[in-house]
């Protein structure tokens, strides 16, 4: 008796503009029309563009990163109507496989220009930069960051169900309040609804206008539905439990990553790729009440790079910034300092700071909160797997400067 062939619920066209493909959308809104139906307990394949919709090219210039149009992102595949799903249910999504397209075996990591997207360390590293990664089975390497090779912990950056109209209004209310209260910071603290380049799938013009005016940006993850959580351990074999807020759940997925470090610190920090994800959907009736669920629950699978105990070199940082200012239990400041300690350490081998920044964004580094109670200093750590390098980075080893080439920078 033969196995039933797994159905492809959505195909994408890498040569066609993303905004012309009705199975894609780039705003969260309950009224985005479903692009297809998936049965309860069905396994399907879903194809995805990279999160920018193909704006970043496989070349040696970061001009495309500097000039990326962030009003377009993220392009998600969906939404899909999951049969029998109703508000109050939980949608169990099992990640069975994630793969790049066979004829597209590469991905990219980017540092956005401070004036167009920025990133975690943009006060110190304000310029755009890029690394292209070539895939070799489960491994990847880059001409832009030599002497490094590692297995990718492949995963989707975004999974989520559509918000209800009430939840969407709440998102826009609270994020709008934050924007208003932060006007003097001279920094984007959130992105409000942006009609420009909103893509609402197959919606007609009047519905598209409504979705463009009200729809939430896909940039942040949010507690009510998951979304752009960028959890590197949600690889093959993982289970994701998502709250259902609208009839049919209206599930969407995208932002596929070949690899990522904890924090995805450069914002475009994973190894971003186009590809196909294989998912199984199971509706758990009344699951939100049964689980006391207010936000998604994740059960990471058994797939993880094996570096072994003692094979991480771990750095620490505290909530004292680079200008000597003391912050109170600020884990964000501490993690920035942790990243800077790694950059200072690895630059001794010949890497440019931007190469290390890119590497910490996409290699499977382990970020942890060590302490959040010892006033005034939060302490965070970052473990760098030593075995991703083809040279010895142990503190007791000799420091030998190697030819590290360069990541891609802009021509302007």
């Amino acid at each position: 008796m033969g196995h039933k062939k797994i159905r492809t619920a959505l195909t994408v066209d890498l040569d066609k503009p993303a905004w012309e493909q009705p199975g894609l959308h780039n705003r969260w809104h309950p009224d985005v029309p479903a692009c297809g139906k998936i049965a309860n307990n069905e396994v399907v394949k879903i194809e995805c563009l990279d999160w920018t919709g193909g704006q970043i090219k496989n070349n040696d210039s970061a001009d495309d990163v500097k000039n990326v149009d962030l009003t377009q992102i993220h392009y998600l595949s969906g939404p899909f109507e999951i049969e029998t799903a109703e508000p109050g249910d939980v949608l169990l999504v099992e990640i069975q496989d994630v793969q790049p397209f066979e004829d597209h075996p590469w991905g990219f990591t980017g540092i956005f220009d401070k004036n167009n997207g920025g990133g975690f360390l943009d006060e110190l590293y304000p310029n755009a930069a890029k690394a292209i990664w070539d895939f070799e089975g489960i491994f990847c390497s880059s001409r832009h960051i030599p002497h490094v090779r590692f297995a990718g912990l492949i995963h989707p950056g975004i999974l989520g169900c559509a918000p209800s109209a009430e939840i969407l209004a709440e998102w826009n209310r609270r994020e709008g309040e934050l924007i208003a209260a932060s006007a003097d910071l001279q920094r984007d603290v959130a992105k409000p609804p942006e009609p420009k380049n909103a893509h609402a799938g197959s919606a007609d013009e009047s519905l598209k206008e409504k979705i463009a005016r009200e729809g939430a940006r896909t940039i942040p993850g949010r507690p009510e539905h998951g979304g752009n959580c960028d959890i590197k351990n949600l690889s093959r074999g993982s289970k994701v439990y998502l709250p259902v807020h609208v009839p049919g759940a209206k599930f969407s997925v995208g932002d596929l990553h070949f690899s990522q470090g904890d924090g995805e610190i450069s914002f475009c920090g994973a190894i971003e790729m186009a590809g196909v994800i294989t998912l199984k959907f199971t509706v758990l009736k009344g699951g939100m009440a049964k689980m006391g669920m207010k936000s998604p629950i994740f059960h990471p699978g058994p797939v993880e790079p094996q570096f072994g105990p003692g094979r991480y070199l771990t750095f620490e940082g505290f909530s004292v910034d680079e200008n000597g200012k003391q912050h109170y239990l600020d884990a964000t400041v501490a993690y920035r300092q942790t990243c800077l300690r790694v950059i200072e350490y690895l630059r001794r081998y010949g890497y440019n700071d931007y190469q290390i920044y890119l590497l910490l964004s996409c290699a499977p580094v382990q970020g942890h909160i060590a302490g959040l109670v010892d006033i005034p200093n939060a302490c965070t750590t970052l473990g760098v797997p030593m075995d991703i390098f083809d040279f010895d980075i142990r503190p007791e080893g000799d420091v030998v400067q190697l030819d590290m080439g360069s990541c891609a920078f802009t021509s302007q």
Side-chain angles (χ1 to χ4, degrees):
M1 186 173 173
H3 288 290
K4 183 179 178 183
K5 184 178 179 182
I6 297 175
R7 177 173 72 93
T8 298
L10 179 72
T11 58
V12 297
D13 188 341
L14 298 181
D15 298 318
K16 187 176 181 180
W19 58 87
E20 293 181 6
Q21 302 189 46
L24 305 176
H25 67 102
N26 62 7
R27 300 291 189 271
W28 290 115
H29 195 287
D31 296 340
V32 178
C35 70
K37 289 186 177 181
I38 298 172
N40 188 14
N41 294 312
E42 187 178 5
V43 178
V44 299
K45 292 179 180 291
I46 299 171
E47 294 185 357
C48 303
L49 298 182
D50 80 79
W51 72 296
T52 72
Q55 295 186 60
I56 311 302
K57 306 302 181 184
N58 186 348
N59 57 32
D60 299 320
S61 167
D63 291 354
D64 49 8
V65 172
K66 179 179 180 180
N67 300 315
V68 67
D69 187 343
L70 295 174
T71 65
Q72 295 190 41
I73 54 97
H74 302 78
Y75 283 107
L76 305 180
S77 295
F80 296 93
E81 178 185 334
I82 312 299
E83 294 178 351
T84 77
E86 295 291 338
D89 295 342
V90 166
L91 183 63
L92 166 56
V93 183
E94 298 180 59
I95 302 171
Q96 295 192 348
D97 199 11
V98 190
Q99 293 292 336
F101 289 118
E102 288 186 6
D103 57 353
H104 205 80
W106 64 274
F108 62 90
T109 304
I111 296 169
F112 285 158
D113 187 281
K114 184 181 177 183
N115 297 315
N116 186 29
F120 196 52
L121 304 177
D122 60 12
E123 294 294 326
L124 294 168
Y125 304 108
N127 301 319
K130 180 174 77 176
I132 298 296
W133 295 87
D134 295 306
F135 305 149
E136 311 149 15
I138 66 169
F139 293 96
C140 64
S141 60
S142 173
R143 63 185 182 270
H144 294 124
I145 308 177
H147 299 285
V148 169
R149 185 173 186 262
F150 54 86
L153 188 54
I154 196 165
H155 63 279
I158 298 180
L159 304 110
C161 298
S164 64
E166 295 76 17
I167 288 172
L168 176 61
E170 169 65 9
W171 291 352
N172 289 335
R173 179 201 66 77
R174 70 189 184 212
E175 291 172 26
E177 284 186 357
L178 176 65
I179 292 169
S182 307
D184 60 342
L185 290 182
Q186 298 180 317
R187 170 180 278 278
D188 288 337
V189 296
K191 287 288 190 181
E194 170 57 80
K196 182 183 178 184
N197 287 323
H199 180 37
S202 62
D204 62 29
E205 282 305 311
S206 62
L207 180 55
K208 178 182 177 180
E209 193 276 333
K210 179 177 188 284
I211 292 168
R213 185 177 67 250
E214 301 172 352
R217 300 301 304 276
T218 60
I219 294 167
R222 295 181 177 91
E224 292 86 353
H225 85 143
N228 191 26
C229 294
D230 292 319
I231 300 170
K232 76 172 177 21
N233 296 88
L234 292 184
S235 191
R236 292 163 292 179
S238 297
K239 296 180 178 180
V240 183
Y241 299 81
L242 297 171
V244 175
H245 299 295
V246 299
K250 286 195 169 178
F251 169 86
S252 299
V253 63
D255 188 26
L256 302 185
H257 296 166
F258 191 83
S259 177
Q260 182 203 302
D262 284 332
E264 199 191 6
I265 58 173
S266 76
F267 177 29
C268 185
I271 299 179
E272 310 285 351
M273 69 176 205
V276 56
I277 186 167
T278 306
L279 302 172
K280 181 179 180 180
F281 296 88
T282 305
V283 177
L284 306 177
K285 302 304 293 184
M288 288 181 67
K290 290 178 184 175
M291 298 179 198
M293 177 184 280
K294 290 186 177 178
S295 57
I297 298 171
F298 306 99
H299 184 186
V303 177
E304 188 163 348
Q306 299 300 307
F307 295 112
R311 299 308 300 166
Y312 288 87
L313 192 59
T314 299
F315 299 78
E316 65 178 1
F318 297 90
S319 45
V320 178
D321 68 25
E322 59 271 16
N323 298 314
K325 181 180 178 180
Q326 179 73 62
H327 297 257
Y328 175 70
L329 296 182
D330 190 325
T332 301
V333 171
Y335 202 57
R336 278 199 187 95
Q337 295 306 306
T338 314
C339 295
L340 292 175
R341 298 297 85 77
V342 185
I343 291 173
E344 291 160 0
Y345 186 87
L346 290 179
R347 72 160 69 113
R348 302 174 307 143
Y349 299 99
Y351 288 120
N352 175 280
D353 286 16
Y354 280 84
Q355 290 175 300
I356 309 168
Y357 186 7
L358 287 162
L359 184 62
L360 294 184
S361 301
C362 65
V365 300
Q366 298 268 14
H368 295 288
I369 292 174
L372 275 181
V373 296
D374 300 319
I375 61 171
N377 274 327
C379 176
T380 61
T381 63
L382 195 154
V384 179
M386 294 189 286
D387 297 331
I388 70 175
F389 302 94
D390 66 8
F391 57 94
D392 186 2
I393 70 164
R394 291 177 305 160
E396 59 268 36
D398 293 330
V399 176
V400 179
Q401 286 223 346
L402 300 170
D403 179 5
M404 297 303 188
S406 176
C407 56
F409 289 109
T410 61
S411 60
Q412 300 106 311

